[in-house]
């Protein structure tokens, strides 16, 4: 696309100008031709000349020191171009203002006012000078110059009365000699009222001392001969008006100070908009509470506003089970509950030096500067949940909430904002683990472990991307024959500067870091490819992989397994997937259907972490699984009993036949010696894992393990 200002005339194409510059050149040329009959240039040539003036204006707006000189250049050049019609100056000032003000922030308004004043003054001076020269040339020219002078005065008067910027001319004592209608409108005085006043009568009380001194210095002709300030004035009704003042000193022919010109731009709407934007940036939109950023700022300010030995207590709240409200009653109801909780928390601390904030979602925070009457932490934590437990009535529903609370208490001098907010978050997570309505005080002794875990969780996504994880394998054996049934795939990660992390630790960190599903997908594919490699080498064995709760609840699990199987060349019977009992015990019909689909693919679904409760036993009759691994705490309890007649041991022994009656084979873990092995053989267990059969090994070492077990034929079935 060509340059929009290229008119194709002989003067050549204009340099590329876009935005307000291009708009101003085109509109300016059209308006001057309409209102200045003495212009002798074609529209294209006029655009060339005006484009240079627009560039001069742009540079002046960027450099305030150029304003007067640029204004002189523009004003004089307009007269040279014979742009001296009755409306030429007025339309010029209006166009510059309209095109430039949208591109200017508050700080540029003063530059624009100064520039407009300089243009008007230079234009008028040049206009008069041209008229005066013509007058001296001949009588006819003199008469014409007189007419032009009067016309110029009329034009200046028109600008003075029609501009939306308030303008006042006062004597050196500040008494108004002349004011325009715009100033009267901005300050809500009549023009006659203003003419009985002085500029000092309009200053806001908090601005008066500064402005009085500034005007006095200006009237004395000191070094500061102009004032460009964002200041408050008073309107006739006493309301404050935010304005941008452009004040200049006018000198007489003898060079002595004579008058003061004050130009007033009303920026109240802009100021209120900025205030609103700032408020929104620091407050939660739903509740009006401080947000995390503002809360941190106030926490930082507390270090300077309160005595160093004063006590600060930070309560970090997380609402318990809030997803039930959103899922059961809808998000609109959930939002109303959030607002009600915010209001109650504010009421709870209305007699304290405190700040309540919403960190987002269902998390809130309260910062209290303690006083003698401030409740102790246990008492205040109880008050929070007592307040939240009162039903919130929305429609026909009375909804009660509760909160888990993390607490940090520090002196003001020790109240580092970053550390306090982190510590409160750590304490909250521990409270949530303890259960609903619990509170936890930050324990500095646990800080190193918490920080290390947080760091590991933070770098885990990158570690997965960089291939730092490896899959290890440990044998599952038949207690009846001692033969290998499968190899169980387990994760291992050795972060830089840290020891090796095992399977359980990796899964816990994955939950915190949000890579649970990505880690599962990678591990499943890696293990499946390894099993295929072993099979091609003549070591036929299947593998077992334990899934976490989030991994098994993923609705895309079946699609993933199908994709993995289809991408390989093995039958699905080589894959065993163990699911957490707690996740599937009360499984929805959708999850049960997923388990059935896995079985239909040929995959063998199992359970792990089976503790033998009555609900778990009942669930075995409806969940289509082939085996179950006893929970670690159950196995540890049995191993800790010296007497096999111990009631705990007998209870476990009685559990095994019940599981067999449901058609489920049983696996036990952590077998470390032959005594433990004999015990579980006598108990009737089918399979076992543990250090007695081999520790988790890398794929290379696991191949040697397969040879040791004599694996060279298709795998044994769990049947």
């Amino acid at each position: 696309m060509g340059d929009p200002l290229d008119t194709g005339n002989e003067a050549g194409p204009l340099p590329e100008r876009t935005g307000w510059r291009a708009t101003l050149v085109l509109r300016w040329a059209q308006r001057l031709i309409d209102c200045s009959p003495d212009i002798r240039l074609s529209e294209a040539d006029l655009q060339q000349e005006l484009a240079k003036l627009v560039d001069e204006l742009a540079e002046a707006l960027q450099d305030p020191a150029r304003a007067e000189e640029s204004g002189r250049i523009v004003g004089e050049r307009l007269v040279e171009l014979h742009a001296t019609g009755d409306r030429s100056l007025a339309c010029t000032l209006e166009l510059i203002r309209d095109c430039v003000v949208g591109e200017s922030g508050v700080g540029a308004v003063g530059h624009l006012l100064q520039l407009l004043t300089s243009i008007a003054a230079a234009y008028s001076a040049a206009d008069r000078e041209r008229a005066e020269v013509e007058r001296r040339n001949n009588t006819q020219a003199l008469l014409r110059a007189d007419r032009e002078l009067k016309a110029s005065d009329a034009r200046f008067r028109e600008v003075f009365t029609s501009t939306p910027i308030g303008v006042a001319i006062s004597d050196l004592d500040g008494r108004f000699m002349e004011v325009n209608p715009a100033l009267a409108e901005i300050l809500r005085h009549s023009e006659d009222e203003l003419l009985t006043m002085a500029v000092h009568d309009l200053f806001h009380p908090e601005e008066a001392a500064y402005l009085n001194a500034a005007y006095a210095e200006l009237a004395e002709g000191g070094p500061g001969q102009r004032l460009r300030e964002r200041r408050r004035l008073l309107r006739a009704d006493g309301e404050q008006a935010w304005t941008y003042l452009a004040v200049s000193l006018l000198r007489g022919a003898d060079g002595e100070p004579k008058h003061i010109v004050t130009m007033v731009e009303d920026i109240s709407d802009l100021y209120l908009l900025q205030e609103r934007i700032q408020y929104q940036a620091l407050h939660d939109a739903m509740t009006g509470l401080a947000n995390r950023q503002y809360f941190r700022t106030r926490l930082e300010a507390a270090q300077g506003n309160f005595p160093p030995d004063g006590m600060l207590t930070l309560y970090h709240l997380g609402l318990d089970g809030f997803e039930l409200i959103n899922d059961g009653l809808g998000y609109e109801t959930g939002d109303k509950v959030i607002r009600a909780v915010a209001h109650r928390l504010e009421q709870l601390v209305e007699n304290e030096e405190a700040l309540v904030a919403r960190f987002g979602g269902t998390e809130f925070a309260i910062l209290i500067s303690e006083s003698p009457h401030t409740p102790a932490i246990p008492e205040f934590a109880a008050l929070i949940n007592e307040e939240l437990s009162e039903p919130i009535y929305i429609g026909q529903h009375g909804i009660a909430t509760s909160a888990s609370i993390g607490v940090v208490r520090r002196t003001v001098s020790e109240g580092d904002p970053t550390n306090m907010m982190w510590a409160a978050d750590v304490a909250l997570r521990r409270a949530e683990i303890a259960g609903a309505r619990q509170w936890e005080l930050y324990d500095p002794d646990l800080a190193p472990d918490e920080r290390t875990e947080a760091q590991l969780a933070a770098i885990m996504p990158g570690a997965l991307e960089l291939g730092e994880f490896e899959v290890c394998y440990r044998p599952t054996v038949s207690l009846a024959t001692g033969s290998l049934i499968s190899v169980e795939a387990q994760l291992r990660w050795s972060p830089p500067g840290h020891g090796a992390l095992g399977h359980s630790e990796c899964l816990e960190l994955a939950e915190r870091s949000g890579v649970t599903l990505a880690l599962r997908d990678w591990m499943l594919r890696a293990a499946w490819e390894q099993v295929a490699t072993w099979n091609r080498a003549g070591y036929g064995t299947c593998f077992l992989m334990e899934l976490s709760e989030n991994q098994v609840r993923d609705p895309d699990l079946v699609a993933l397994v199908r994709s993995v199987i289809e991408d390989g060349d093995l039958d699905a019977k080589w894959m065993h997937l163990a699911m957490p009992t707690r996740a599937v015990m009360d499984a929805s019909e959708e999850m049960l259907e997923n388990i059935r689909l896995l079985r239909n693919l040929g995959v063998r679904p199992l359970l792990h972490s089976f503790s033998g409760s009555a609900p778990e036993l009942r669930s075995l009759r409806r969940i289509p699984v082939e085996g179950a691994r006893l929970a670690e705490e159950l196995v540890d309890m049995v191993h800790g009993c010296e007497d096999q007649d111990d009631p705990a041991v007998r209870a476990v022994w009685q559990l095994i036949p019940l599981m067999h009656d449901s058609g489920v084979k049983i696996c036990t873990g952590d077998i470390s010696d032959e005594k433990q092995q004999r015990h579980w053989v006598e108990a009737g267990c089918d399979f076992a894992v543990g250090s007695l059969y081999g520790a988790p090994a890398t794929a290379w070492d696991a191949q040697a393990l397969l040879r040791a077990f004599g694996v060279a034929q298709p795998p044994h079935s769990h049947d």
Side-chain angles (χ1 to χ4, degrees):
M1 180 179 291
D3 190 326
L5 298 182
D6 185 359
T7 58
N9 61 77
E10 296 179 359
L14 290 172
E16 182 177 358
R17 294 175 182 84
T18 58
W20 68 269
R21 296 197 199 188
T23 301
L24 180 54
V25 168
L26 293 174
R27 293 179 59 189
W28 200 1
Q30 293 168 359
R31 294 287 294 276
L32 288 180
I33 288 174
D34 291 340
C35 63
S36 300
D38 292 336
I39 292 178
R40 299 181 179 86
L41 297 177
S42 67
E43 184 174 355
D45 290 338
L46 181 59
Q47 287 181 9
Q48 289 280 348
E49 294 295 331
L50 294 181
K52 300 173 185 176
L53 299 184
V54 169
D55 290 343
E56 185 70 36
L57 291 174
E59 293 181 11
L61 287 173
Q62 295 296 322
D63 182 5
R66 293 179 56 92
E68 291 188 5
E69 176 64 16
S70 296
R72 182 189 64 76
I73 292 172
V74 173
E76 291 179 354
R77 185 57 179 156
L78 288 176
V79 175
E80 292 173 1
L81 294 172
H82 299 283
T84 54
D86 292 340
R87 290 280 299 160
S88 298
L89 179 58
C91 77
T92 291
L93 298 180
E94 291 171 1
L95 282 172
I96 294 174
R97 181 201 63 197
D98 292 344
C99 291
V100 174
V101 76
E103 301 295 321
S104 307
V106 172
V109 173
H111 305 165
L112 178 58
L113 295 178
Q114 182 182 3
L115 189 58
L116 293 177
T117 302
S118 299
I119 292 172
Y123 180 96
S124 298
D127 203 12
R128 290 189 182 94
E129 181 179 355
R130 180 179 62 83
E132 182 65 19
V133 170
E134 291 180 357
R135 184 189 64 80
R136 287 196 302 265
N137 288 340
N138 51 61
T139 302
Q140 184 178 3
L142 179 62
L143 294 174
R144 181 180 176 186
D146 185 60
R147 290 194 301 271
E148 289 291 340
L149 183 60
K150 292 179 181 179
S152 178
D153 288 339
R155 288 192 293 271
F156 186 80
R157 178 59 50 189
E158 181 180 356
V159 172
F160 183 80
T161 57
S162 63
T163 179
I165 298 170
V167 183
I169 300 175
S170 61
D171 61 21
L172 298 181
D173 293 327
R175 290 187 297 271
F176 290 126
M177 301 173 61
E178 202 168 356
V179 297
N180 72 346
L183 183 64
E185 181 180 353
I186 291 171
L187 299 177
R188 299 174 187 169
H189 285 282
S190 68
E191 293 181 52
D192 291 338
E193 287 176 338
L194 287 173
L195 291 174
T196 66
M197 302 168 64
V199 67
H200 315 289
D201 299 326
L202 303 176
F203 298 159
H204 189 281
E206 296 177 8
E207 310 275 14
Y210 174 81
L211 289 175
N212 282 329
Y215 268 79
E217 181 181 353
L218 199 65
E220 293 172 358
Q225 296 190 20
R226 62 176 61 88
L227 178 69
R228 305 289 183 265
E229 297 281 354
R230 176 179 173 176
R231 294 292 172 180
R232 286 174 290 172
L233 301 180
L234 284 181
R235 293 191 169 108
D237 56 5
E239 180 184 343
Q240 70 177 12
W242 279 95
T243 65
Y244 192 88
L245 298 181
V247 187
S248 300
L249 177 67
L250 295 181
R251 296 180 180 272
D254 57 1
E256 292 298 316
K258 187 175 182 181
H259 298 104
I260 294 176
V261 177
T262 301
M263 302 185 72
V264 180
E265 176 79 4
D266 187 359
I267 60 170
S268 297
D269 290 342
L270 179 59
Y271 174 79
L272 294 175
L273 176 61
Q274 289 180 324
E275 288 288 297
R276 182 61 182 169
I277 292 173
Q278 183 178 20
Y279 179 87
Q280 291 175 343
L282 298 176
H283 291 79
D284 174 57
M286 182 185 297
T287 64
L289 296 178
N291 61 14
R292 183 186 292 270
Q293 177 184 347
Y294 188 33
F295 187 86
R296 179 191 174 89
T297 301
R298 288 287 297 273
L299 189 53
E300 291 174 347
Q303 293 178 312
N305 296 336
F306 295 109
D309 59 349
M311 297 302 302
L312 296 174
T313 307
L314 196 164
Y315 296 84
H316 190 175
L317 288 65
L319 300 184
D320 299 320
F322 201 81
E323 64 276 3
L324 296 177
I325 297 175
N326 283 335
D327 294 344
L329 301 176
Y331 285 92
E332 183 176 350
T333 298
D335 291 347
K336 291 178 180 178
V337 172
I338 289 291
R339 285 190 284 269
V341 168
H343 180 64
R344 291 186 178 187
L345 292 178
E346 286 186 304
Q347 287 184 318
L348 189 62
V349 298
E350 60 184 359
N351 295 322
E352 300 282 350
E353 184 75 32
L355 174 68
V356 181
R358 183 184 180 214
F359 282 0
T362 59
E363 293 191 11
F364 295 82
I366 302 174
L367 177 66
I368 297 179
S369 175
E370 293 188 9
S371 66
H373 65 266
T374 300
I377 291 174
E379 180 183 352
F380 190 75
L383 286 173
I384 291 174
N385 272 309
E386 182 180 331
E387 186 72 24
L388 298 182
S389 65
E390 288 293 325
I392 301 167
Y393 288 96
I394 300 175
Q396 299 178 347
H397 305 288
I399 304 168
T401 59
S402 65
S404 299
I405 308 168
V407 188
V408 179
R409 186 171 184 263
R410 301 268 175 84
T411 63
V412 171
S413 61
E414 298 173 335
D416 176 68
T418 300
N419 186 269
M420 278 193 74
M421 293 178 70
W422 172 80
D425 184 71
V426 169
L428 172 60
R429 303 310 159 202
R430 290 195 173 277
E432 290 174 333
I433 292 172
R437 293 180 63 97
Q438 301 300 309
W439 67 272
E440 286 283 341
L441 185 65
Y442 172 70
D443 185 349
D445 293 335
L446 299 176
D449 292 339
E450 290 286 352
R451 189 171 293 277
T452 298
E453 288 183 14
Q455 291 172 345
L456 291 174
I459 66 173
M460 179 174 268
L464 179 59
E465 186 73 20
L466 294 173
E468 294 181 9
F469 288 88
E470 60 180 341
V471 181
C472 295
Y473 303 87
R474 68 172 181 174
T476 303
V477 302
S478 168
L479 287 175
T481 65
S483 59
L484 184 71
I485 299 300
S486 66
V487 289
E488 180 182 352
Q490 294 199 314
L491 287 167
R492 181 186 291 170
W493 179 33
S494 298
H498 195 282
L501 300 176
H503 185 74
S504 298
E505 293 170 300
C506 289
L507 288 183
E508 290 174 4
L509 290 172
E511 293 290 343
R512 294 187 63 177
S513 66
V515 297
T516 303
L517 299 184
L519 195 60
R520 174 203 66 186
D521 298 355
W522 170 82
M523 182 180 178
L524 186 62
R525 290 187 182 278
W528 188 243
E529 291 173 3
Q530 183 58 57
V531 170
T533 300
W534 283 333
N535 272 264
R536 287 192 292 270
Y539 301 105
T541 185
C542 57
F543 86 99
L544 168 69
M545 178 173 164
E546 282 193 1
L547 301 175
S548 69
E549 289 192 30
N550 285 336
Q551 290 172 343
V552 77
R553 287 195 174 103
D554 177 25
D556 294 328
L557 175 61
V558 174
L560 168 71
V561 173
R562 180 183 288 110
S563 172
V564 170
I565 293 172
E566 291 176 351
D567 289 345
D569 54 6
L570 290 179
D571 191 273
K573 68 180 180 181
W574 300 82
M575 183 184 296
H576 297 182
L577 295 180
M579 307 175 186
T581 304
R582 185 171 64 177
V584 299
M585 185 174 61
D586 298 317
S588 64
E589 189 57 40
E590 180 182 7
M591 183 177 288
L592 291 176
E593 180 61 24
N594 282 344
I595 296 175
R596 296 188 190 99
L597 290 173
L598 289 174
R599 288 191 59 143
N600 292 340
L601 287 174
V603 176
R604 300 192 174 191
L606 312 170
L607 296 179
H608 67 79
S609 304
F610 191 90
S611 61
S613 67
E616 290 179 349
L617 288 170
R618 284 195 298 270
S619 67
L620 289 180
R621 300 185 181 278
R622 70 185 190 95
I623 301 174
V625 295
E626 299 185 3
R629 177 179 292 173
L630 297 178
E632 290 183 7
E633 57 268 23
L634 199 66
V635 176
D636 291 342
M637 179 184 68
V638 172
H639 289 173
C641 295
E642 294 294 335
D643 186 359
Q644 291 193 359
D645 291 330
D646 187 284
V649 176
R650 290 201 303 270
V652 175
W653 280 43
Q654 293 169 1
L655 171 67
I656 292 173
L658 296 176
M659 297 175 67
H660 282 155
D661 289 344
S662 298
V664 174
K665 298 295 180 67
I666 305 162
C667 179
T668 186
D670 299 324
I671 304 298
S672 59
D673 55 46
E674 294 183 354
K675 178 181 177 182
Q676 292 176 351
Q677 178 179 254
R678 286 194 301 272
H679 173 87
W680 291 106
V681 169
E682 294 174 7
C685 275
D686 303 287
F687 313 112
V689 295
S691 59
L692 179 63
Y693 312 109
T698 62
W700 177 260
D701 294 332
Q703 185 166 313
L705 188 67
L706 295 177
R707 288 196 297 268
F709 273 96
V711 176
Q713 300 297 325
H716 295 278
S717 167
H718 276 200
D719 297 331

